[in-house]
Amino acid sequence: MSSKIARGSLIMLIGYFIFRVGGYIYRFVTANLLGPAGFGILNLALPTQSILIQIASGGMPPAIAKHVSEYSAQGDEEMVKQVIHTSLKIVIVLGLFFSLIIFLLADPLAYGYFHKPEAALPLKLVALITPFSVVVGVFRGAFQGVFQMGNIVITKAFEQVFMISSAIILIWVGFQVAGAVTGTAIGFLFSALAGYYLYRRGLGKRLKDVKLSFTLKQELSLAKVLIIFALPVLITGLAETALFDAIGNFIVGRYLASEQLGFYGAATPVARLPLIISMSVATAVLPATAEAMGLKNRHVLKGYVNQSYRYVSLVVLPMCVGTFVFATPIMKLLYVNSAYMNGAAALQLLSIGMLFFTIYTVSSSIAQGLGKPYLPMVILIAGVILDVALSMYLVPLYGITGAAAATTITALFIMSTIVWKTLQVADVKLEYKDLGRIVLAAGIMGAVLLLIPQSLLISSATLSSSLSNSITFFSKYFVFLLVMILAATVYVVALILVGGLKKSDISAIRKLSNKTGPLKGKLEKIISFIERFAH
């Protein structure tokens, strides 16, 4: 069983990575193709799409996974099939209903709230996405319930490939923002088709001859059970989307021009990159914490909690410091249009906010492992209220920098609150000295990076645009690669000097290096050298 869980977690981590990277590529490509104004309008449609999908799915995928897994273990095939059929009916009804709602609200939102008539058509096109996305959610929940994690990854891959390629083609032929939104609908369509095919070939084939005998009353009772389980998931998901995607974009969209919204939308995906790290740690720490609680082993629990915070801080903190220092060159590197450098100040603040949010993410998983799933939900709801209030006040005064500041202050609030409550519930004290050494090492790295002229990095990215393609790629990224190597070297040396490198860190790095194939030998030499300085 443990090997099944480990394998499933690894596959899901790959799927999450594909989903995240695909989302980043989609945003970077559309930003460069549409320009700031067009990309700004797209950033009104995308959060609307995320909120609509979550509401329409009703938080069903985890509920389906839980009940399908439970009934499969009991050998009750009729209930497995009934859960899938009932869930499908629920999400189709919700999907069609909320698609109609957003279609009818598109004009009032575009003309009345955002004061941007050009946003009306993209907002209407969002309605196309929902029916396909909710069906995909049912299939993914069913696959998760029977540990067919590979099928989930396949549907995500279909979604990303067709979404990105369709959006690029439709923008190129002249459909602009409407084409970018339609591309997401095409991605979900092909994902749904892939999910249906995989279901029919696997779980559906197994359940083909199973007869359903539920009455309407029994099915309504089952629907109630599913919805009650799914409600906290839905509320938490909506709160996260609101905090880190919707609120900033919606309030910036109301008070500022489309170009400013485009600058803000260009900064947010860069700031979110550390979330890939925190989500991988969060995926592992939830079952580990739950296991330690089940065994009533306080020593092991303390180790899991402190290791989780430590590993996230070790990796994410220097990433955020580097992003803060080189925000302007990074924006120039990623976006062809130099106007996007106007989002650099927002990126600096958001990089700090995302550091807070990565720690919140890990704390949230620890709280769930401790049997307190409602704790993150309550804190997130309080965070949404705070973010709306701060954004409404700061955006009219400070523009997109105000929106970034509101998000960062809110992230600090939810991080501080959940860490405090989680440690209280777990009865664990943080190893503040170890975390302090990591902060000091990252600070030393940041101080060294400040000595590098930013004009050097900006000019390397600017110069490359006038050269041939092969030279462009080399010149544009070579200087950044050298700076990244320098930053990593300074950070490791600083960690050693301040006594922040542990033997357990070396052990974790060695385990990762053992999976690098032909690079294993060379990495082992480096690791063995560094190991002499660990304590």
Side-chain angles (χ1 to χ4, degrees), residues 67-296:
H67 288 87
V68 165
S69 178
E70 181 180 309
Y71 291 123
S72 289
Q74 296 171 4
D76 193 341
E77 299 284 65
E78 182 184 358
M79 282 302 299
V80 171
K81 189 171 184 177
Q82 188 64 63
V83 166
I84 296 171
H85 279 227
T86 301
S87 301
L88 197 58
K89 292 175 186 178
I90 293 171
V91 300
I92 287 175
V93 171
L94 289 174
L96 293 174
F97 176 74
F98 284 104
S99 291
L100 177 61
I101 292 295
I102 193 59
F103 186 86
L104 295 175
L105 288 176
D107 283 338
L109 284 172
Y111 290 91
Y113 180 78
F114 295 123
H115 308 296
K116 293 175 176 60
E118 63 272 26
L121 179 58
L123 289 173
K124 289 178 180 177
L125 290 172
V126 166
L128 293 174
I129 298 164
T130 312
F132 307 126
S133 66
V134 295
V135 171
V136 171
V138 171
F139 289 136
R140 289 175 180 169
F143 295 148
Q144 185 180 358
V146 292
F147 285 91
Q148 294 176 350
M149 306 304 183
N151 288 349
I152 299 176
V153 175
I154 292 171
T155 60
K156 286 182 181 293
F158 267 80
E159 175 191 330
Q160 298 300 317
V161 168
F162 282 96
M163 176 181 73
I164 295 168
S165 58
S166 300
I168 291 172
I169 292 170
L170 291 171
I171 293 172
W172 272 346
V173 298
F175 288 101
Q176 296 300 308
V177 183
V181 177
T182 305
T184 62
I186 294 172
F188 277 113
L189 168 61
F190 279 92
S191 181
L193 292 174
Y196 178 71
Y197 171 76
L198 293 169
Y199 176 78
R200 286 292 300 271
R201 195 182 69 170
L203 182 59
K205 187 176 181 180
R206 189 181 101 190
L207 301 173
K208 183 178 180 181
D209 297 326
V210 176
K211 303 297 181 183
L212 299 179
S213 58
F214 263 44
T215 64
L216 178 61
K217 184 177 180 180
Q218 289 174 315
E219 188 165 15
L220 289 174
S221 178
L222 175 61
K224 180 181 177 182
V225 171
L226 292 169
I227 291 170
I228 290 173
F229 182 91
L231 191 59
V233 177
L234 172 62
I235 294 172
T236 302
L238 284 174
E240 287 186 359
T241 301
L243 272 177
F244 299 101
D245 204 7
I247 294 173
N249 282 302
F250 287 168
I251 295 179
V252 169
R254 174 174 175 78
Y255 289 105
L256 304 177
S258 300
E259 288 82 0
Q260 293 296 316
L261 182 56
F263 302 149
Y264 185 74
T268 50
V270 183
R272 288 194 193 117
L273 283 171
L275 289 179
I276 294 177
I277 307 297
S278 66
M279 285 304 298
S280 63
V281 175
T283 301
V285 74
L286 194 157
T289 305
E291 179 184 335
M293 281 293 290
L295 296 173
K296 294 181 169 47

Side-chain angles (χ1 to χ4, degrees), residues 497-513:
L497 291 176
V498 301
L501 194 64
K502 287 186 171 185
K503 294 286 187 182
S504 58
D505 301 331
I506 299 298
S507 177
I509 295 171
R510 181 169 278 120
K511 288 179 181 178
L512 289 175
S513 71

